[in-house]
């Protein structure tokens, strides 16, 4: 599946909202997003698991897609507390975040597990948003290229070009997530170009040209347009600012 790099803005709500505010938030986003922006930008929100169904029902026919923040790689069975791709698909999810930095660095997920989750998501008919990014110590030690290259290679290990075409990459420098520090558009562009080149080497030029690579890390209405103006930035993964309907809609508009 290829989207030919139509701009994509996704909101990661993390562990926020409740049964009322999750629905209020998407209703506000849906009603305030202009028709033109809805046509020219793919939009998704990723609420906590327990609010997915309510948000999906509220977004009915709005054209705004819904993603989960995590997944387990098995189809069903004795995996207490886990959620399978089939379950997410069943309730109408389109996307799933895989390898978000908080799962890597707070929960302790490793590349091998992330790889299994990406593969399972694709096989289960979901579109993974595969997050990579370096820690501040790694950037300071000039290891950004090495770290991101390893994360991409390990995360996509064993997946054919056909399968990887379902993936959206997200470059999220860990030092920029939730900190108010944003990578400069040039810093972000440099890593996006590196990822695209790597995908060309791992697969082929066509895949590298068509795959979408989002930037994430303290994206706000006042920096979204400049980030989007970079050649290899195809969209934005938004955390904190996606919890405010006006800010999230302003970011969507900046991506048109
Ligand atoms: C995120 O959660 O992926 C993220 C980028 O968060 P924030 O926008 O709050 O930095």
């Amino acid at each position: 599946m290829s989207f030919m790099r139509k701009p994509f803005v996704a909101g990661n709500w993390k562990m926020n909202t409740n049964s009322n505010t999750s629905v209020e938030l998407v209703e506000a986003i849906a009603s305030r997003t202009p028709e033109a922006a809805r046509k020219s930008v793919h939009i998704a929100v990723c609420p906590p698991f327990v609010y997915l169904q309510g948000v999906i029902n509220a977004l009915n026919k709005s054209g705004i897609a819904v993603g989960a923040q995590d997944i387990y790689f098995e189809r069903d069975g004795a995996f207490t507390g886990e959620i399978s791709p089939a379950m997410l698909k069943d309730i109408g999810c389109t996307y799933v975040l895989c390898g978000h930095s908080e799962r890597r660095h707070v929960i302790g997920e490793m590349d091998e597990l992330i790889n299994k989750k990406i593969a399972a998501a694709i096989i289960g008919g979901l579109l993974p948003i595969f997050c990579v990014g370096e820690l501040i110590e790694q950037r300071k030690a000039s290891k950004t290229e090495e770290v991101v290259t390893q994360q991409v290679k390990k995360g996509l290990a064993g997946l054919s070009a056909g399968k990887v075409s379902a993936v959206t990459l997200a470059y999220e420098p860990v030092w920029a997530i939730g900190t108010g520090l944003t990578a400069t558009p040039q810093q972000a562009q440099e890593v996006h170009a590196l990822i695209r080149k790597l995908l060309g080497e791992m697969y082929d030029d066509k895949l590298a040209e068509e795959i979408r690579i989002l930037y994430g890390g303290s994206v706000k209405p006042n920096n979204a347009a400049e980030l989007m103006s970079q050649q290899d930035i195809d969209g934005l993964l938004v955390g904190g600012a996606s919890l405010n309907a006006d800010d999230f809609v302003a970011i969507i508009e900046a991506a048109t």
Side-chain angles (χ1 to χ4, degrees):
M1 184 179 313
S2 162
F3 290 90
M4 295 304 287
R5 291 169 65 181
K6 181 170 172 177
F8 181 20
V9 175
N12 171 18
W13 293 3
K14 313 194 190 202
M15 199 170 72
N16 292 298
T17 69
N18 63 33
S19 55
N20 290 324
T21 58
S22 56
V23 169
E24 282 164 17
L25 180 54
V26 281
E27 283 175 350
I29 293 166
S31 68
R32 293 177 207 173
T33 304
E35 189 63 27
R38 226 180 283 205
K39 288 208 172 102
S40 58
V41 180
H42 277 131
I43 306 165
V45 292
C46 303
F49 281 131
V50 286
Y51 306 130
L52 282 167
Q53 186 72 77
V55 165
I56 287 166
N57 294 347
L59 283 174
N60 181 30
K61 299 203 176 91
S62 68
I64 297 175
V66 177
Q69 296 175 18
D70 190 27
I71 194 170
Y72 196 60
F73 60 85
E74 297 283 359
R75 206 192 136 76
D76 50 35
F79 305 101
T80 302
E82 297 296 340
I83 304 285
S84 73
M87 291 171 178
L88 295 176
K89 189 77 188 158
D90 178 38
I91 62 161
C93 276
T94 305
Y95 295 96
V96 60
L97 301 178
C98 293
H100 188 276
S101 81
E102 286 144 23
R103 297 217 59 87
R104 289 178 187 269
H105 300 294
V106 181
I107 314 290
E109 281 190 17
M110 309 296 280
D111 292 307
E112 293 67 25
L113 176 59
I114 295 163
N115 174 241
K116 285 185 182 171
K117 291 184 174 190
I118 295 171
I122 298 168
I123 291 165
L126 296 164
L127 303 175
I129 302 174
F130 168 33
C131 308
V132 297
E134 79 287 1
L135 297 161
I136 190 64
E137 309 85 86
Q138 294 166 331
R139 173 160 284 264
K140 283 187 178 152
S142 304
K143 292 235 163 79
T144 300
E145 176 167 354
E146 187 186 320
V147 170
V148 170
T149 299
Q150 284 308 308
Q151 289 174 337
V152 172
K153 283 191 174 166
K154 289 181 177 172
L156 299 180
L159 294 174
S160 65
K163 288 221 164 65
V164 173
S165 63
V167 175
T168 298
L169 267 288
Y171 169 56
E172 299 205 299
V174 181
W175 48 273
I177 299 179
T179 58
L181 294 174
T182 318
T184 64
Q186 294 71 28
Q187 282 174 323
Q189 165 59 27
E190 204 177 296
V191 182
H192 281 234
L194 177 136
I195 294 171
R196 204 176 296 288
K197 182 165 162 279
L198 175 63
L199 291 168
E201 288 159 12
M202 290 168 64
Y203 297 98
D204 52 58
D205 290 346
K206 184 172 180 289
L207 181 129
E209 200 40 51
E210 292 180 1
I211 204 159
R212 287 185 302 192
I213 309 176
L214 315 183
Y215 168 79
S218 297
V219 174
K220 306 284 175 219
N222 64 4
N223 58 23
E226 208 191 343
L227 286 160
M228 283 303 294
S229 71
Q230 300 298 308
Q231 196 186 336
D232 289 293
I233 299 183
D234 308 313
L236 302 164
L237 180 53
V238 186
S242 72
L243 292 168
N244 177 296
D246 287 334
D247 285 354
F248 192 58
V249 171
I251 292 168
I252 293 166
E253 292 194 85
T256 57

